[in-house]
Amino acid sequence: MVKAAAKPKKETTMEEALWKSADKLRGSVEPAEYKHVVLSLFFLKFASDKFESQRKTIIKKYGERFVDIVAFYAKDNVFFLPEESRWSYIMENAKQDDIALKIDTALCTIEKANPALKGALPDNYYSRLHIDTAKLASLLDEINRINTDDKENDIIGRVYEYFLGKFALAEGKGKGEFYTPKCIVNLIAEMIEPYDGILYDPCCGSGGMFVQSIKFVEAHSGNKKRVSIYGQEYTNTTFKLAKMNLAIRGISANLGEMAANTFTNDQHKDLKADYIMANPPFNQKEWRAADELKHDPRWQGYEVPPTSNANYGWILNIVSKLSQNGVAGFLLANGALSDDGTELKIREQLIRNSLVEAIITLPRNLFYTTDISVTLWILNKNKKARTVEQNGQVKHYRDREKEILFMDLRQMGSPYEKRYIELTEEDRAKVTATYHNWQQVGYKETYRDIPEFCYSASFDDVEKRGFTLVPSRYIKFANRDENIDFDTKMKTLQGELKDLLIQEKQSKADLLAVFKELGYEIKL
């Protein structure tokens, strides 16, 4: 009898592999841990595949005597992996009882061999999780199916953006704060154009702002080596994700000595940045004690931000870090545009100091963690007329010290994942062209106020309205109440309700499955 030929190992798509990987963990670890478990293992496979490819190249070019020289890997941003850290070794031992310890040892060894990864990889993580050996082996099998040899695309970027984004979605409100949708990060980068100089993010999450900024620079034929990156992150696990995310892309960054609170343990006290990009936690409560930080130098020239809400604490931290010609783009909840009391006094001073350049209301449902409409603020330390050469282009900026550009993007965006909205490349191009045209000498030929989209307000306009920065107080809007399409609205609600009912059914099935696995089956 002729024995059937063995079937070739089936490769799977990134999305299938990632979700199958997560599914292997069900019942073993908390859902919030999935991303950390899978991303570290994916990193191990990705780094190992790149190492093996570089190893073959070195042998071919220089001979086998050079294969253990670290410099031959580092020069091409490839991590050197000792034998016990290679994916092949992990897979050979995948079904051993001590596989969790071997994974921890592999990650520890890689970190010691590669200074750029210091503090980036989990420490003794898999041993502490106590995942069933069979489940961990099955998880390794799924990740082993992923093909990382994709020279045309940023494979690691695809994993991080997809996986972190999907888990931000799955974790729901109040979770996933470390992830900012790519379309928003791209919009900020396209507006402030961080081609060269110091780039800072005071709440950098998993490093997405930095990654997209570097992509922007490279896409416009810039040199990423001319951008120096500084950041800070409060949560230790997210801090590690950021270091890993940047290190495997060959992006050098100073994220401080440790994960730390930006307000109480500023890791970059004397920093002056040319560009700042940030997505601070919205409406952060009790961010400081009543008497804490009252005399902090970051508030110099302004009222002390109230303890009840950190929004203006973040704003003044950003202002304090801007260089003489620095520009910042950051997100805040809409309430910051019109808050009274201390916030109003700070906002008025910011406007009088000619720091506020543009205020952009974004569409609802852009974020996985909240459905509210949020605002993009653009602050500019130098709104005076000047000529600047940037990335090979000469730009003639006009004086905008007594003007603020307001924009409303709530009618823009395309559906994404059924319940969410994303700003398309065309949307962003329209917004950035409007903004840059408004900044330039001769703007009257290229810019005009457009009802329901944009308005250039004078200082007098803003002062008359009590220093509110709500765009709808300046931009003209038509009354659309009588034009509501009831049928379309109801069909949208119908689809949303269907999704909720499906999720409820799945949650019920998962709960019943867990009890059955524990030996306490619930029969309905």
Side-chain angles (χ1 to χ4, degrees):
M1 182 176 177
V2 179
K3 189 176 181 180
K7 291 183 179 179
K9 182 179 72 174
K10 181 186 176 184
E11 288 182 351
T12 186
T13 66
M14 190 70 64
E15 291 76 11
E16 287 173 344
L18 290 172
W19 283 111
K20 282 182 179 179
S21 299
D23 198 50
K24 301 296 180 186
L25 297 170
R26 196 178 299 277
S28 296
V29 296
E30 291 295 320
E33 291 289 330
Y34 289 178
K35 58 184 172 289
H36 302 298
V37 176
V38 180
L39 283 173
S40 294
L41 291 177
F42 177 81
F43 161 78
L44 200 56
K45 175 150 195 319
F46 175 85
S48 191
D49 287 351
K50 296 305 174 192
F51 168 82
E52 295 296 349
S53 176
Q54 184 77 351
R55 183 181 175 86
K56 290 177 182 176
T57 300
I58 292 169
I59 292 173
K60 186 175 180 180
K61 280 188 175 182
Y62 309 107
E64 292 200 14
R65 66 183 184 279
F66 294 100
V67 295
D68 291 325
I69 298 178
V70 176
F72 279 72
Y73 297 86
K75 70 183 182 66
D76 292 319
N77 291 319
V78 175
F79 298 120
F80 179 81
L81 273 59
E83 188 172 353
E84 65 271 27
S85 298
R86 297 169 195 172
W87 187 254
S88 56
Y89 177 81
I90 296 298
M91 291 308 298
E92 286 169 7
N93 292 276
K95 294 178 172 56
Q96 300 297 317
D97 290 339
D98 64 345
I99 184 59
L101 177 60
K102 282 184 166 59
I103 294 170
D104 285 331
T105 301
L107 292 169
C108 180
T109 306
I110 293 175
E111 188 172 309
K112 285 181 178 178
N114 299 277
L117 287 170
K118 182 181 179 182
L121 303 179
D123 180 26
N124 198 31
Y125 181 62
Y126 293 87
S127 298
R128 286 186 282 112
L129 286 175
H130 300 295
I131 302 174
D132 178 76
T133 300
K135 284 195 173 187
L136 188 51
S138 185
L139 170 59
L140 292 168
D141 281 339
E142 289 297 341
I143 292 177
N144 194 46
R145 293 177 182 273
I146 302 175
N147 177 18
T148 65
D149 186 22
D150 188 346
K151 295 181 174 60
E152 299 300 317
N153 296 297
D154 176 12
I155 190 76
I156 197 70
R158 181 179 165 194
V159 170
Y160 273 77
E161 287 158 9
Y162 177 84
F163 203 48
L164 293 178
K166 290 290 281 187
F167 269 95
L169 185 158
E171 289 170 358
K173 294 182 181 179
K175 303 291 184 181
E177 293 92 341
F178 54 83
Y179 183 79
T180 306
K182 185 171 67 171
C183 69
I184 301 178
V185 183
N186 284 339
L187 176 64
I188 298 174
E190 289 157 6
M191 293 187 77
I192 73 173
E193 300 181 312
Y195 284 116
D196 54 69
I198 293 174
L199 172 63
Y200 170 65
D201 183 346
C203 42
C204 67
S206 58
M209 293 280 190
F210 300 137
V211 171
Q212 294 305 321
S213 296
I214 294 300
K215 283 186 179 181
F216 168 82
V217 171
E218 292 178 330
H220 291 79
S221 302
N223 184 351
K224 72 176 184 180
K225 292 182 179 179
R226 297 179 63 181
V227 181
S228 300
I229 290 174
Y230 290 80
Q232 183 159 346
E233 171 54 33
Y234 176 70
T235 306
N236 191 51
T237 52
T238 310
F239 173 77
K240 288 178 180 289
L241 279 179
K243 295 202 75 171
M244 192 193 311
N245 193 6
L246 296 171
I248 54 184
R249 298 168 189 270
I251 299 175
S252 178
N254 181 343
L255 303 185
E257 291 297 317
M258 66 189 80
N261 185 314
T262 301
F263 294 117
T264 59
N265 188 6
D266 186 357
Q267 298 286 291
H268 307 292
K269 287 185 178 179
D270 300 320
L271 180 72
K272 292 297 180 183
D274 302 295
Y275 307 97
I276 298 177
M277 299 173 68
N279 176 21
F282 297 156
N283 301 318
Q284 188 178 355
K285 308 298 182 188
E286 299 177 357
W287 59 285
R288 67 177 180 88
D291 295 324
E292 191 178 28
L293 303 174
K294 285 184 70 173
H295 303 291
D296 194 287
R298 286 172 286 188
W299 327 140
Q300 190 172 354
Y302 297 89
E303 296 282 326
V304 179
T307 58
S308 57
N309 192 312
N311 287 341
Y312 277 79
W314 286 111
I315 293 173
L316 293 184
N317 176 74
I318 287 169
V319 169
S320 74
K321 299 293 186 184
L322 283 173
S323 66
Q324 186 177 357
N325 297 312
V327 185
F330 55 92
L331 303 168
L332 287 177
N334 285 352
L337 301 171
S338 58
D339 283 335
D340 292 327
T342 302
E343 286 97 334
L344 171 58
K345 292 178 182 178
I346 297 173
R347 188 168 64 249
E348 178 180 343
Q349 195 61 49
L350 290 168
I351 295 168
R352 290 190 181 278
N353 290 346
S354 297
L355 286 168
V356 182
E357 174 146 82
I359 298 291
I360 301 104
T361 300
L362 299 176
R364 294 185 61 172
N365 296 317
L366 279 170
F367 288 85
Y368 299 128
T369 52
T370 179
D371 63 352
I372 64 172
S373 173
V374 301
T375 305
L376 168 58
W377 293 53
I378 304 291
L379 301 186
N380 195 331
K381 202 74 179 288
N382 186 356
K383 293 166 64 178
K384 294 179 181 179
R386 61 194 181 106
T387 298
V388 176
E389 183 175 349
Q390 190 179 43
N391 201 39
Q393 292 185 327
V394 177
K395 295 187 177 182
H396 303 284
Y397 291 103
R398 65 185 184 86
D399 191 317
R400 309 169 311 283
E401 286 202 305
K402 296 297 182 182
E403 295 178 48
I404 298 175
L405 177 64
F406 290 95
M407 303 180 77
D408 192 307
L409 314 188
R410 287 177 295 177
Q411 296 179 49
M412 289 185 171
S414 298
Y416 171 70
E417 293 281 350
K418 295 183 181 179
R419 295 170 53 197
Y420 301 97
I421 294 293
E422 66 177 349
L423 293 171
T424 65
E425 189 174 345
E426 292 74 20
D427 291 332
R428 300 197 311 272
K430 179 181 178 181
V431 174
T432 52
T434 300
Y435 170 65
H436 292 308
N437 287 340
W438 174 81
Q439 290 181 307
Q440 305 297 313
V441 170
Y443 78 107
K444 291 183 178 179
E445 298 176 5
T446 57
Y447 170 85
R448 63 185 177 90
D449 294 334
I450 300 175
E452 305 187 13
F453 176 54
C454 63
Y455 182 82
S456 179
S458 66
F459 176 84
D460 290 341
D461 288 334
V462 179
E463 187 176 37
K464 286 176 185 176
R465 290 168 176 78
F467 295 97
T468 179
L469 290 176
V470 178
S472 59
R473 293 289 302 277
Y474 303 89
I475 300 170
K476 293 181 180 179
F477 283 85
N479 185 351
R480 287 203 166 107
D481 289 348
E482 57 192 43
N483 297 324
I484 293 175
D485 187 335
F486 182 77
D487 184 56
T488 300
K489 189 71 176 175
M490 288 304 296
K491 285 180 178 177
T492 300
L493 291 173
Q494 180 186 39
E496 291 177 356
L497 181 57
K498 180 181 178 181
D499 288 341
L500 287 171
L501 292 173
I502 291 172
Q503 289 174 24
E504 182 184 18
K505 183 178 179 181
Q506 183 60 49
S507 296
K508 180 180 177 181
D510 291 344
L511 182 61
L512 291 173
V514 169
F515 270 82
K516 184 177 180 180
E517 188 174 336
L518 292 172
Y520 296 93
E521 183 177 1
I522 300 173
K523 295 183 178 180
L524 301 177

